[in-house]
């Protein structure tokens, strides 16, 4: 990887240079200490400088048509005067190590549009949890002038909460007929979603899609209303026939103005940043402590005892905590 | 809650007294410091004393028939000479606070059997994550003579990983026809499952169930083989007609002997204990640090700055970690 100084990145982002944007994301994802230092400075520089944006998270089971939707919806947004960045998050690749088919190939038209930036998800870099750098990538895209950021969950699993914690609007995509087995959709995801879009509402499935919308809306009535006062909306679309993008966008926009009217939009972003800070600080603190020779020796000893069933987990925890207390006094 | 001394709990558990078992689980779940101290001593006492047991985790979407299956399968196990404890884990109640319908009502026959112990999941106590005390409850049940422990995921969501990390055998329950939309079942859960049971394989659905089994088996071929060498098995059952329980039990038993033959059974339990220790210790360490006046003041200051967008998350993390480093030197 090529390395540059702080000014290079700042100037490049300000001039909306996509090559520099890609380099900056790579910098942020790097695990080298010197890279991380420049990355921290860069992120601190850009934290106040970006224009208003909307961050949209999209989830849905594989096969539901997320890529085709993003391809079409992204182009629609560009027609509305937006600059569109697409990021993907795939914690599931942690286990299988399987790399996702190149995102750029999946979204051919969009990737050729100069108003779009698509970041292929490198399975090695985009670790799940606190190590994930997608949040930082969002900030970098915004600094480079992108004002519609789409974060897609590629793997299915724990990624929904992760994405929900970094976007303004969370969109669940399903296909016609899913109304029947709504029980199959995790209730937690239904509760998270600000909007649901039923894709493939075309041809033979158009009628079924309408029925699904009805089913979904009555199912949504079962949930307690969100604290924000927003009720989850359901729209139909067809990524194939390029219909319904306007409805989805209207849904996002009415959410946005509802949230902005009582400052909930900004409050949500601030709270997201605070939890992100707390997560990262906690993670770092624990690493710091493990680096203490005395503690790491005790921990190894306790791990061994727990492994050999010589001590209960509770007791081992207690001993570990006593040692930490001592170190701190 | 009534309180007793350590001896009371130890003697009661040894004499397989279900009332004392229930009291001991309540003790472990208590957040009072004095209760926690006795609980730690108790857990340390029992850690080596229990007889061999099998811990089975069961997951599946709501409506698939988990309760009826556990009711029937539990009675079947008792007929095989086992003592059966049923515990439930429901992290989803964190958000909604909704309490689950009394588990005892759901499993009427089993709950009246003196060889069975069913712990209703109190939504207030059974927090998800590191605060969850289900692992401790498993140990207490084993100390009280239960040798088949069933841990059921009640809510759908993050609970699968949690349960998988505390059981020997992880069973996924689906219903006939699910083969069509296998994509809807989270791949991660499929990968975790040691066995899949298709419930409701009766009446009109018997044929469909057989087809589902076929579909599932060919889908399972797509997954990389597990590191343990175990291939996920699929069986049919009908909780309604009380058929297939023997097949499920055979599946669990052959898993168990395969794992025992190369010590993987014990190794898995040890690793689970080690991660459990690490999680609890980390959680405790962070609480300890937050109690340091200097650190907590700095953290509050940084949280405020992050909230007001005056500092980047990276920069705030860096400052927090410098302060921790200073405190430790």
């Amino acid at each position: 990887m090529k390395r540059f100084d702080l000014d290079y990145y700042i100037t490049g982002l300000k001039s909306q240079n996509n090559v520099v944007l890609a380099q900056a994301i790579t910098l942020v994802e790097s695990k080298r200490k010197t890279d991380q230092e420049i990355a921290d400075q860069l992120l601190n520089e850009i934290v106040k400088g970006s224009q208003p944006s909307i961050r949209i998270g999209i989830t849905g089971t594989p096969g539901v048509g997320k890529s085709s939707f993003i391809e079409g919806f992204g182009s629609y947004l560009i027609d509305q005067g937006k600059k569109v960045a697409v990021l993907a998050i795939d914690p599931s690749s942690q286990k299988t190590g399987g790399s996702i088919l190149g995102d750029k190939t999946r979204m051919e038209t969009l990737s050729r549009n100069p108003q779009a930036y698509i970041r292929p998800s490198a399975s090695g870099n985009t670790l799940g949890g606190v190590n994930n750098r997608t949040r930082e990538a969002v900030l970098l895209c915004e600094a480079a002038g992108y004002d519609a950021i789409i974060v897609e969950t590629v793997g299915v699993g724990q990624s929904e909460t992760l994405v929900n914690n970094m976007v303004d609007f969370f969109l669940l995509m399903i296909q016609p007929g899913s109304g029947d087995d709504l029980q199959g959709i995790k209730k937690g995801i239904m509760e998270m979603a600000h909007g649901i879009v039923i894709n493939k509402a075309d041809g033979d499935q158009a009628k079924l899609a309408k029925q699904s919308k009805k089913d979904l809306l009555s199912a949504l009535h079962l949930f307690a209303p969100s604290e924000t006062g927003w009720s989850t909306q359901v729209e139909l679309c067809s990524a194939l026939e390029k219909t319904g993008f306007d409805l989805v966008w209207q849904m996002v926009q009415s959410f946005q103005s509802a949230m902005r009217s009582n400052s909930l939009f900004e409050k949500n972003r601030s709270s997201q940043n605070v939890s992100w800070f707390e997560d990262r600080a906690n993670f770092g603190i624990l690493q710091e402590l493990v680096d203490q020779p005395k503690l790491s020796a005790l921990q190894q000893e306790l791990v061994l005892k727990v492994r050999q069933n010589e001590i209960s987990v509770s007791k081992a925890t207690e001993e570990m905590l006593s040692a930490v207390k001592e170190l701190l006094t």
Side-chain angles (χ1 to χ4, degrees), chain A:
Chain A
M1 131 186 195
K2 265 193 179 176
R3 287 177 171 86
F4 307 93
D5 65 4
L6 184 59
D7 271 350
Y8 171 85
Y9 293 110
I10 295 177
T11 317
L13 291 178
K14 272 192 188 149
S15 62
Q16 314 206 343
N17 182 325
N18 277 356
V19 175
V20 179
L21 172 57
Q23 289 165 335
I25 297 181
T26 304
L27 176 79
V28 162
E29 287 174 351
S30 162
K31 285 187 189 111
R32 241 172 73 159
K33 212 173 147 60
T34 48
D35 291 338
Q36 275 303 322
E37 280 167 14
I38 305 183
D40 284 349
Q41 290 168 31
L42 175 60
L43 289 163
N44 208 39
E45 279 300 320
I46 63 171
V47 72
K48 287 191 274 188
S50 300
Q51 84 294 4
S53 70
I54 178 82
R55 303 169 186 163
I56 304 172
I58 298 186
T59 193
T61 48
V64 75
K66 288 200 296 285
S67 302
S68 333
F69 174 80
I70 294 173
E71 165 103 332
F73 184 61
S75 303
Y76 171 85
L77 290 179
I78 290 172
D79 290 344
Q80 309 298 309
K82 295 274 167 197
K83 287 190 72 177
V84 177
V86 181
L87 304 168
I89 199 165
D90 180 20
S92 72
S93 64
Q94 271 182 93
K95 184 174 174 180
T96 55
S99 108
I100 305 306
L101 287 173
D103 296 322
K104 285 195 179 172
T105 329
R106 294 192 294 133
M107 299 168 198
E108 244 182 281
T109 316
L110 195 60
S111 67
R112 277 197 302 264
N113 194 313
Q115 298 301 306
Y117 174 74
I118 300 179
R119 177 77 177 180
S121 65
S123 60
N125 291 332
T126 49
L127 291 167
V130 82
N131 272 320
N132 186 278
R133 290 289 177 266
T134 311
R135 286 170 195 255
E136 283 82 353
V138 169
L139 296 177
L140 292 171
C141 289
E142 288 170 355
Y146 290 94
D147 53 358
I149 318 290
I150 295 175
V151 184
E152 179 194 3
T153 68
V154 173
V156 203
Q158 316 296 320
S159 47
E160 289 86 3
T161 315
L162 214 59
V163 170
N164 187 39
N165 288 341
M166 63 175 80
V167 297
D168 308 310
F169 187 92
F170 194 57
L171 184 68
L172 168 64
M173 175 168 286
I174 62 169
Q175 41 189 331
S178 307
D180 300 333
D181 60 351
L182 261 188
Q183 294 193 310
I185 299 177
K186 296 195 301 174
K187 186 163 171 279
I189 295 182
M190 291 273 285
E191 283 183 321
M192 264 182 224
H194 301 110
I196 300 178
V197 60
I198 304 173
N199 190 20
K200 304 184 184 175
D202 46 41
D204 292 349
Q205 300 209 78
K207 214 179 145 190
L208 186 59
K210 272 187 195 158
Q211 184 56 45
S212 297
K213 181 177 172 179
K214 253 192 186 165
D215 295 345
L216 261 172
L217 284 171
S218 47
L220 286 167
H221 277 295
L222 300 174
F223 294 127
S226 143
E227 295 149 14
T228 61
W230 176 258
S231 314
T232 309
Q233 294 188 13
V234 183
E235 293 295 353
L236 305 179
C237 90
S238 162
L240 186 74
E241 298 182 346
K242 301 190 199 310
T243 57
F245 297 145
D246 50 343
L247 298 174
V248 175
W249 182 228
Q250 269 166 34
M251 174 160 79
V252 175
Q253 282 182 306
S254 36
F255 172 83
Q256 215 178 344
S257 47
M259 294 303 106
R260 280 203 194 280
S261 70
N262 43 20
S263 304
L264 283 175
F265 189 87
E266 294 75 14
K267 274 186 197 155
N268 180 49
R269 283 199 176 182
S270 300
S271 309
Q272 288 178 339
N273 280 340
V274 169
S275 359
W276 189 233
F277 160 59
E278 288 173 341
D279 287 350
R280 287 201 51 188
N282 289 347
F283 183 78
I285 288 171
L286 290 171
Q287 285 201 312
E288 213 52 66
L289 281 166
V290 167
D291 289 348
Q292 298 290 316
K294 214 183 131 188
L295 274 192
S296 77
L298 176 64
Q299 197 195 22
Q300 278 174 34
E301 188 195 317
L302 290 172
V303 162
L304 198 70
K305 281 190 181 171
V306 167
R307 194 177 290 285
Q308 294 173 342
N309 225 21
E310 285 169 13
I311 190 175
S312 72
V313 168
S314 304
K315 191 77 190 162
T317 307
E318 198 194 307
E319 286 192 21
M320 189 71 192
L321 293 185
S322 307
V324 172
K325 268 179 217 170
E326 212 171 284
L327 202 73
L328 291 170
T329 47

